Amino acid sequence: MKAHTLTIALLSQLFFQNALAASIRSIFLFKDVLKSNTTALKTSGFNSLIIFGIGILDNGDIKYYSNTAGSKDVVVASGGAYTGGDALAAKVRSFKTDNDTGVDRMEISMNSQHVKDLMAKPGPGADTPLYRNFVALKTAWGLDAVNNDDESIYDVASTVAFAKMLGKIGYKYTGAPYTNLNFWTSVKTQVNQGLSESNWVMDRMYLQCYDGGAGNDPGSWQSRLGMKVVPLIWVTNDSKPSQGTTAAAARTKFTGWNQRSALAGGGYWNDYDIEKMGLSYKQYGDVLKGVFP
């Protein structure tokens, strides 16, 4: 009887831990990660970091655009090898591996430039430069997923082919839409066709709910997509102040959306503005921990 009771208790604890782990608390990293506040990002409640500014070149090389004054853009994978330097690789890996971190998922965010052409020729095969470069980058940076920030091309066939290629390498694939629900629904359906939900390749959708996506309703997107979404809002900023959101206002927005339609989590655009505006990572992180424990 005691052993049985103990087993039930352990199972209950594991279930509770899994339930906690299921909530997504994300932030996009716009600032050069070599210059970011690594400690704050790891310890403020975020569990998913998405590095913004990765691009595919026409020859299949992969480039990191640092987006930060005084930093240089760098080709991080070429010829099937990692070329981004040891310091950058160590910094990216540290987000997940240091003892004090709460981060368990690292993604890179990219647009769809050159994807259509490269999927047509030479294609998505394992012997192509693009495939081999993504293998090298995953190994060097310890990546979990590739985020698609397509806001202009919207080619379903090549996007699906690219996502399935990444799935074979071991990546998950995510979206970051602000519009064109039909495109994202088609991609999600085709990428995950024949897979159980626990094995979906396209497993997350980070929905922009600011600027061009300010009118988006996460619940409506969830219903159409057939998957829970992660609404993103823009922190207080000096680029488009009207789209900025204080930590207090963020709590109100996330709570309201989540009460109407249970969400996968929440997130922010972006870390650079938090640092530039002298804001608090902890305050924004505490909002996510409170609404999405």
Side-chain angles (χ1 to χ4, degrees):
M1 183 66 177
K2 290 182 178 179
H4 180 66
T5 302
L6 180 60
T7 300
I8 292 175
L10 288 172
L11 288 173
S12 297
Q13 183 180 16
L14 287 171
F15 177 82
F16 182 68
Q17 289 173 340
N18 288 337
L20 289 177
S23 293
I24 299 165
R25 301 186 299 273
S26 60
I27 185 168
F28 277 68
L29 309 187
F30 185 79
K31 188 176 182 179
D32 179 359
V33 296
L34 285 172
K35 298 181 177 181
S36 64
N37 189 335
T38 311
T39 299
L41 288 166
K42 292 186 300 183
T43 61
S44 298
F46 306 107
N47 57 26
S48 300
L49 306 183
I50 304 99
I51 299 173
F52 182 82
I54 300 294
I56 295 173
L57 305 185
D58 58 3
N59 64 352
D61 285 356
I62 304 173
K63 194 169 191 177
Y64 174 42
Y65 298 92
S66 66
N67 301 309
T68 305
S71 294
K72 294 182 179 180
D73 303 337
V74 58
V75 173
V76 291
S78 179
Y82 175 68
T83 58
D86 293 342
L88 182 56
K91 184 65 176 287
V92 175
R93 289 197 306 270
S94 75
F95 285 114
K96 273 201 318 182
T97 58
D98 285 357
N99 292 332
D100 62 344
T101 189
V103 176
D104 59 21
R105 176 144 159 163
M106 289 296 308
E107 304 188 23
I108 53 173
S109 182
M110 50 167 286
N111 58 38
S112 288
Q113 294 294 325
H114 304 299
V115 169
K116 184 176 181 180
D117 291 340
L118 289 169
M119 289 300 97
K121 184 180 181 181
D127 59 345
T128 62
L130 186 63
Y131 187 107
R132 293 168 58 232
N133 287 335
F134 269 103
V135 170
L137 188 59
K138 188 179 193 305
T139 301
W141 283 8
L143 297 173
D144 301 289
V146 174
N147 174 255
N148 180 3
D149 185 33
D150 187 353
E151 298 186 0
S152 61
I153 299 174
Y154 299 126
D155 183 73
V156 172
S158 60
T159 302
V160 171
F162 179 60
K164 288 184 175 181
M165 181 198 82
L166 292 171
K168 291 179 180 178
I169 296 171
Y171 287 97
K172 295 295 186 179
Y173 193 63
T174 67
Y178 80 95
T179 190
N180 205 341
L181 178 54
N182 289 337
F183 166 79
W184 294 104
T185 302
S186 295
V187 170
K188 176 260 178 183
T189 300
Q190 292 183 42
V191 170
N192 293 333
Q193 188 172 12
L195 301 174
S196 62
E197 185 172 349
S198 61
N199 292 317
W200 278 356
V201 172
M202 193 165 200
D203 67 337
R204 295 185 181 184
M205 202 68 72
Y206 301 101
L207 178 66
Q208 296 181 44
C209 295
Y210 58 87
D211 204 6
N216 283 330
D217 174 56
S220 297
W221 276 75
Q222 288 191 154
S223 296
R224 289 282 300 280
L225 284 167
M227 68 186 298
K228 291 185 177 182
V229 305
V230 182
L232 301 174
I233 57 179
W234 197 348
V235 303
T236 301
N237 67 89
D238 60 356
S239 178
K240 290 189 176 180
S242 65
Q243 295 300 319
T245 311
T246 64
R251 186 181 298 275
T252 300
K253 285 187 176 183
F254 286 133
T255 299
W257 285 327
N258 198 44
Q259 287 176 341
R260 289 193 294 273
S261 303
L263 303 168
Y268 302 111
W269 173 260
N270 62 71
D271 71 318
Y272 200 176
D273 285 321
I274 288 178
E275 296 188 19
K276 183 167 57 172
M277 302 297 290
L279 308 174
S280 168
Y281 277 105
K282 185 178 185 303
Q283 286 183 2
Y284 280 104
D286 282 349
V287 168
L288 295 182
K289 288 193 293 184
V291 182
F292 307 108

